[in-house]
Amino acid sequence: MTDETRVLYNQDCPICRFEIEAYRRRAGSLGLPIRFEGLDQAEDWGLTPDQAAGQLHVRQNGRVLSGIEAFRALWSALPGWRWLSRVCGWPVIRPFSEVLYARIVAPALYHAHLRRQRRRR
């Protein structure tokens, strides 16, 4: 088993790309074993690019996580962000953050992704 954390994200989404670039810079400056992959790698994760575009995915310790759990895994691997992973795991905050991401944030970003794809065609 590897200690590497892998992140699968929608590099075509300007918001996703902006956020992930901040994590990438932090991980790179600290030499952390975190690899960032775009939608073209979705098949390696057992996902279609469309499925992968729907939310963040992280592979860590042999498990594939998605949604808020993926963010928590990524944040826990990044010094300076670990506090956010802990806060989002608190019993009162966790369900709220899961619902907020799964029902509002991720769908809004995914629908914006679909609109960008339609404009490109």
Side-chain angles (χ1 to χ4, degrees):
M1 189 178 307
T2 179
D3 289 337
E4 181 179 63
T5 296
R6 292 173 57 195
V7 179
L8 180 64
Y9 75 103
N10 183 355
Q11 76 278 10
D12 294 331
C13 167
I15 295 169
C16 306
R17 188 174 53 245
F18 178 80
E19 182 174 6
I20 294 297
E21 283 304 314
Y23 303 143
R24 184 190 316 263
R25 283 190 304 274
R26 179 77 171 149
S29 72
L30 296 172
L32 299 175
I34 302 175
R35 187 168 74 196
F36 298 89
E37 303 173 354
L39 297 179
D40 56 332
Q41 299 296 313
E43 193 172 299
D44 295 344
W45 291 64
L47 300 167
T48 66
D50 193 58
Q51 290 169 323
Q55 61 185 331
L56 183 75
H57 299 274
V58 169
R59 183 174 287 150
Q60 190 177 63
N61 299 324
R63 295 182 27 210
V64 175
L65 306 164
S66 58
I68 285 298
E69 287 308 306
F71 277 103
R72 290 189 63 228
L74 176 56
W75 294 332
S76 71
L78 290 166
W81 289 91
R82 291 181 179 140
W83 67 271
L84 188 54
S85 176
R86 286 191 299 275
V87 168
C88 286
W90 289 349
V92 174
I93 303 294
R94 187 176 188 160
F96 175 74
S97 63
E98 288 172 348
V99 168
L100 178 66
Y101 182 77
R103 298 209 179 169
I104 298 171
V105 175
L109 293 173
Y110 178 68
H111 289 299
H113 169 74
L114 294 177
R115 282 192 304 276
R116 281 189 303 277
Q117 284 188 322
R118 280 193 298 271
R119 283 195 308 258
R120 287 182 187 154
R121 291 183 191 143

